[in-house]
Amino acid sequence: MKMSTYIVAYVIGEFEVTDPIVVNGTEIRAYCVPGKKHLTTYALKAAQFALTWFERYFGIKYPGNKLDLIGIPDFAFGAMENLGCVTFRETALLVSEETATIGELLRVSEVVMHEIAHMWFGDLVTMKWWNGLWLNEAFATFMATKVQDAFRRQWERWVSFGQERAAAMRTDGLASTRSVEAPVNHPAEALGMIDVITYRKGCSVLRQLEQYIGEDTFRDGIRVYLKKHAYSNAETTDLWDAIASVTTLPVREIMTTWVFQPGYPVITVSESAISGGVTLSQAPFKYLAAAVDKSQTWLVPVLLRFKTAEGVGTKWVLLDGKEKSIYLGEQLEWVVVNADGHGFYRTSYSPKLASKLTANMSETLNSIERFNLVNGAWACAQAGLTSAEQYLDIVALFSEERDPNIWGLLHSSLARIYDLLPERNRSVFAKLVRTIVMPQYNRLGWTEKAGESAQDRQVRGTVILMLGTIGNYSLLGDAARQLFGKYKTDRSAVASDVVPAMIALLAHNGGSTEYDELAQLLSATQVPQEKVRFLMAQASFRDVALLEKTLASTITATVRTQDAPSLLVRLLGNGRINVKAWQFIKDNWDYMVANFPETGLISMVSGVTALDRQELETDVIAFFATHPVKGGDKAVAQNLELLRVAVEFKCREAGLLAAKFAMPVVTLETAPVVATDESFGPGPALVRQTGSEIEGAQGPAPTTVLQPSAVVDGPGPELVRQTDSPTTESTDGTSGA
């Protein structure tokens, strides 16, 4: 059939194949190396659902005569959308439903659905040139998220997408960011387009547009686009023309500002001169003040939700200039800007309006809006617009929070603050962490409860890991060790969403015995997700000799080249080894260039953002000035800028935080005050084993994961300390395009 040559593939090797599943005449099969066929069931369920859903949504039958899904043991990309012969890294296709976390199941279904979406966006209609790569990748990301939301409603996929939007905003807040569509002069430069801007910002602005013009109208425009350009090529303006043909709203004008210029705005909200109204004003958001171009503006679709004398209402506003005032009604009590959280911008409220929202968040803000509140506060602290202490004031409001995405953000941001503190001050800060986390620890426990939500299952792991690491709650390490003893012989003995936290705590508190046990499990397991978990845990120990052993393994046959870059990112993020890890990378750079996948090298650069000392920053800049990364010019520039942001944040905040969390002065006349597990009120004094449950005196305890974030066939880990979430997969690099 007529297709682009870059989506033709031949796969040769010894594979097992499943029986076909037939969807509207199309046979779907999964292929894997012998012995793993039992791990294909879930991916086939996802593929069957997606193929049915996409044919109905697009109104166009699948443009192939069969659909094969093939797991490749060592694969540079996350997956690749070859037409009818889709190739996957094993972690993105093979999974055990019985033992996988929600995040791991989400990951597999997301990648499978992303690649099947490409059968229409990319394969049926192909971009004219690589500058239009986003037409393929942003749409595949958008469509995969939509179908996933239908596949498992309880996972609240558009809520968890907030984490991915936040990752895109982190990069897009840099001076070194780029526009979604950018010039590409040679195919090799397309590697630089495989990043969160293409995938996550692209998806975000599509979702923003869809919500503004309406989901049915958006779908109708997509159908026009696909039918008009089937078995042919298209460019971005073709898409705007197709959508504009089914609506009177200014689609092209809006999207031009989002796709062809970099960055995004912060919208300031204040009371207007007229009672019952608010004024919205926009300005570019940048982490470094010198990078701000104050003349830059966007056409911003803004959804407002507000409460007046007439009750709660909503209103769309198109902010098409620097400032606009809007009347909402008499006796205006509160207003939420970016209601439902789908806008790709930050929001800054006047003190009065902000206090009205935070005074009763359960009434005023839903979970994604609360996530945006915390994420925006953390971004402002990193940018120096507010202080870390002010951010902690916001965090203190969230001890009753039940959304796993918010807890993931709280974990990574508080861990960053913990790392800034001298060792002697950390126990005092840990007491604050315990104060924030304990309510959820006491509510959830270690074991799953009948009928509990997917969100509770995910929060459980996060709060346990927070308590056991930055909360200095050592008894959780003992509990993890006891559970691990059962887990080694019976994987079902520990709740799947607790396992990553258990392994992380085992490594955090472990020595050579635990290291060897994890190495044995790594060599024995055939489950891809377990391999990743056991391998990455080797970078979470605190014993330097063990970390050096892990470091040396990254350039040996014991670690696959697809996994080595992510393992090195983990090691760069571990403060006990990161300086040695950086020297090791420099010493072995030529070997890595010759042996690691190009996309892996690009993603590995993200690890340097943890080297937040000025002398290390100088060394990193000098190194990359003479050691270019193929296809990674933009990624290197962005990560060097993120390093500068981290260094400035540390210089600005470390001293203030050290003073705030200084140990109290102890005299002979007063009893010593030491922040230990025992000094934190009635925490469990004993850990006892009852059946399959580990309990303390307070009742069952909870857990989490150190698992770096990567996107579906996206650029690999951005943050080292990240909770298990729909977007986590420690070793996945990028997918092809």
Side-chain angles (χ1 to χ4, degrees):
M1 62 185 291
K2 188 178 181 183
M3 69 175 81
S4 295
T5 54
Y6 80 92
I7 51 174
V8 178
Y10 296 88
V11 182
I12 301 170
E14 185 181 358
F15 291 98
E16 289 185 314
V17 61
T18 64
D19 294 330
I21 296 174
V22 181
V23 174
N24 194 18
T26 300
E27 292 186 345
I28 308 174
R29 294 180 177 87
Y31 289 78
C32 59
V33 296
K36 298 184 180 181
K37 191 163 68 171
H38 65 290
L39 300 174
T40 63
T41 304
Y42 178 75
L44 287 170
K45 286 181 189 176
Q48 180 180 13
F49 185 93
L51 200 60
T52 303
W53 194 92
F54 284 141
E55 288 189 341
R56 184 170 62 248
Y57 183 90
F58 295 132
I60 299 172
K61 191 178 183 310
Y62 165 68
N65 55 16
K66 56 97 175 176
L67 180 57
D68 294 332
L69 313 176
I70 308 177
I72 308 296
D74 198 347
F75 191 57
F77 298 115
M80 177 60 203
E81 66 270 18
N82 316 298
L83 204 158
C85 181
V86 183
T87 46
F88 296 83
R89 186 176 293 199
E90 286 185 330
T91 49
L93 181 69
L94 309 178
V95 68
S96 167
E97 274 191 90
E98 291 71 33
T99 61
T101 66
I102 290 175
E104 289 162 350
L105 293 175
L106 251 167
R107 169 66 181 167
V108 169
S109 59
E110 182 180 20
V111 180
V112 169
M113 292 169 171
H114 180 107
E115 302 309 325
I116 294 176
H118 271 310
M119 301 299 109
W120 285 267
F121 279 94
D123 294 6
L124 177 65
V125 179
T126 306
M127 68 238 163
K128 284 188 176 179
W129 183 241
W130 298 106
N131 63 299
L133 180 63
W134 87 278
L135 286 170
N136 290 11
E137 299 302 347
F139 261 98
T141 303
F142 172 79
M143 295 309 308
T145 309
K146 281 188 72 70
V147 69
Q148 247 191 331
D149 193 49
F151 180 56
R152 294 286 188 269
R153 291 288 186 191
Q154 68 271 27
W155 288 346
E156 298 181 348
R157 188 62 185 90
W158 281 114
V159 175
S160 65
F161 182 77
Q163 286 192 335
E164 298 159 61
R165 184 186 297 108
M169 295 178 83
R170 178 173 179 255
T171 296
D172 212 30
L174 303 172
S176 52
T177 188
R178 62 170 179 82
S179 56
V180 173
E181 179 166 324
V184 176
N185 299 311
H186 187 275
E189 295 177 12
L191 275 179
M193 304 286 282
I194 301 175
D195 63 3
V196 292
I197 299 299
T198 291
Y199 288 75
R200 303 310 183 191
K201 182 181 180 180
C203 174
S204 298
V205 299
L206 290 173
R207 178 66 170 173
Q208 179 177 261
L209 178 66
E210 180 206 44
Q211 294 300 292
Y212 180 54
I213 70 174
E215 294 192 28
D216 290 345
T217 302
F218 185 87
R219 179 206 59 207
D220 292 345
I222 296 306
R223 289 178 173 180
V224 170
Y225 169 80
L226 289 174
K227 289 175 181 176
K228 182 175 182 180
H229 301 284
Y231 302 102
S232 185
N233 303 85
E235 56 190 0
T236 296
T237 52
D238 296 323
L239 178 63
W240 305 149
D241 290 343
I243 298 176
S245 71
V246 296
T247 180
T248 58
L249 293 171
V251 172
R252 182 191 285 258
E253 292 82 354
I254 292 171
M255 295 305 288
T256 293
T257 67
W258 290 99
V259 172
F260 292 108
Q261 69 172 343
Y264 58 88
V266 55
I267 295 180
T268 300
V269 193
S270 58
E271 302 87 341
S272 67
I274 302 174
S275 177
V278 294
T279 297
L280 309 180
S281 59
Q282 64 166 302
F285 177 90
K286 293 295 177 187
Y287 285 100
L288 300 176
V292 176
D293 176 3
K294 295 182 179 180
S295 66
Q296 193 177 15
T297 61
W298 292 259
L299 269 65
V300 190
V302 179
L303 180 60
L304 307 173
R305 186 173 68 253
F306 49 89
K307 186 175 183 180
T308 64
E310 296 182 2
V312 176
T314 59
K315 183 183 183 69
W316 277 105
V317 174
L318 184 63
L319 181 57
D320 52 2
K322 284 277 191 182
E323 185 175 290
K324 179 174 285 189
S325 294
I326 305 101
Y327 177 73
L328 299 176
E330 295 302 316
Q331 300 176 35
L332 177 64
E333 290 189 32
W334 49 261
V335 59
V336 178
V337 176
N338 196 10
D340 294 333
H342 299 297
F344 195 78
Y345 52 86
R346 300 197 188 280
T347 305
S348 174
Y349 294 90
S350 69
K352 182 178 178 181
L353 292 175
S355 65
K356 289 181 177 180
L357 290 179
T358 56
N360 186 13
M361 287 193 293
S362 61
E363 176 191 358
T364 57
L365 300 174
N366 62 32
S367 56
I368 186 59
E369 293 161 358
R370 295 195 303 277
F371 176 88
N372 286 346
L373 174 67
V374 179
N375 184 55
W378 179 233
C380 287
Q382 291 176 296
L385 302 176
T386 58
S387 68
E389 186 170 358
Q390 287 173 298
Y391 174 69
L392 292 173
D393 291 339
I394 295 289
V395 170
L397 302 174
F398 284 84
S399 62
E400 299 300 325
E401 181 56 53
R402 299 192 177 194
D403 180 77
N405 308 291
I406 294 173
W407 277 107
L409 177 57
L410 294 178
H411 181 205
S412 60
S413 58
L414 292 177
R416 169 68 174 138
I417 292 173
Y418 182 90
D419 288 343
L420 289 182
L421 292 168
E423 291 274 358
R424 64 183 181 276
N425 299 77
R426 289 177 178 175
S427 60
V428 180
F429 180 72
K431 189 171 183 179
L432 172 65
V433 172
R434 294 197 296 271
T435 302
I436 294 166
V437 176
M438 273 292 182
Q440 298 310 308
Y441 170 86
N442 293 329
R443 180 177 72 87
L444 293 168
W446 281 88
T447 55
E448 292 182 8
K449 300 169 180 61
E452 74 178 356
S453 68
Q455 287 69 33
D456 276 352
R457 287 174 58 189
Q458 292 173 289
V459 170
R460 174 178 289 110
T462 306
V463 297
I464 289 177
L465 190 60
M466 290 178 73
L467 279 175
T469 53
I470 59 175
N472 285 357
Y473 207 41
S474 60
L475 289 178
L476 294 189
D478 299 335
R481 190 71 183 87
Q482 292 184 41
L483 278 177
F484 182 68
K486 296 184 131 190
Y487 171 82
K488 285 188 294 183
T489 56
D490 179 8
R491 294 293 195 269
S492 65
V494 183
S496 57
D497 284 275
V498 168
V499 170
M502 176 191 70
I503 298 297
L505 284 176
L506 187 79
H508 181 75
N509 295 289
S512 58
T513 299
E514 289 76 15
Y515 189 93
D516 291 343
E517 286 178 309
L518 290 175
Q520 290 168 7
L521 289 174
L522 173 62
S523 64
T525 185
Q526 292 296 307
V527 179
Q529 289 75 22
E530 289 185 357
K531 281 189 174 295
V532 167
R533 190 173 296 135
F534 300 145
L535 177 64
M536 294 300 151
Q538 293 179 351
S540 297
F541 283 78
R542 291 185 284 178
D543 184 314
V544 174
L546 296 176
L547 293 171
E548 289 176 336
K549 186 176 179 180
T550 300
L551 187 59
S553 73
T554 60
I555 56 171
T556 69
T558 59
V559 177
R560 288 176 173 172
T561 58
Q562 67 176 15
D563 300 329
S566 292
L567 189 56
L568 285 162
V569 170
R570 283 295 190 90
L571 290 162
L572 285 167
N574 187 327
R576 294 174 184 264
I577 193 69
N578 61 356
V579 175
K580 290 184 177 180
W582 170 238
Q583 187 61 50
F584 180 87
I585 288 171
K586 291 191 295 180
D587 291 343
N588 294 280
W589 183 256
D590 290 343
Y591 173 89
M592 294 174 184
V593 170
N595 291 277
F596 289 1
E598 292 172 352
T599 52
L601 279 175
I602 293 172
S603 67
M604 190 175 73
V605 175
S606 67
V608 304
T609 60
L611 304 173
D612 58 357
R613 285 158 37 190
Q614 288 180 329
E615 67 274 17
L616 289 175
E617 179 191 20
T618 300
D619 188 47
V620 170
I621 293 170
F623 179 80
F624 284 114
T626 56
H627 295 80
V629 179
K630 184 178 179 181
D633 291 351
K634 184 59 71 172
V636 169
Q638 290 168 355
N639 282 293
L640 291 181
E641 188 175 349
L642 283 170
L643 177 56
R644 171 91 306 253
V645 172
V647 170
E648 288 195 4
F649 181 68
K650 185 173 186 175
C651 291
R652 195 169 57 243
E653 297 289 352
L656 297 172
L657 289 167
K660 178 178 175 62
F661 295 104
M663 288 290 288
V665 176
V666 179
T667 68
L668 294 176
E669 288 74 29
T670 61
V673 179
V674 182
T676 65
D677 296 331
E678 291 73 18
S679 71
F680 180 78
L686 298 173
V687 176
R688 65 183 183 275
Q689 191 166 330
T690 59
S692 63
E693 182 173 324
I694 300 295
E695 293 185 348
Q698 281 185 300
T703 78
T704 256
V705 284
L706 282 179
Q707 201 170 22
S709 163
V711 297
V712 173
D713 42 0
E718 286 203 308
L719 296 175
V720 173
R721 201 175 257 103
Q722 176 115 352
T723 58
D724 187 47
S725 72
T727 58
T728 60
E729 173 51 59
S730 356
T731 61
D732 276 6
T734 58
S735 109

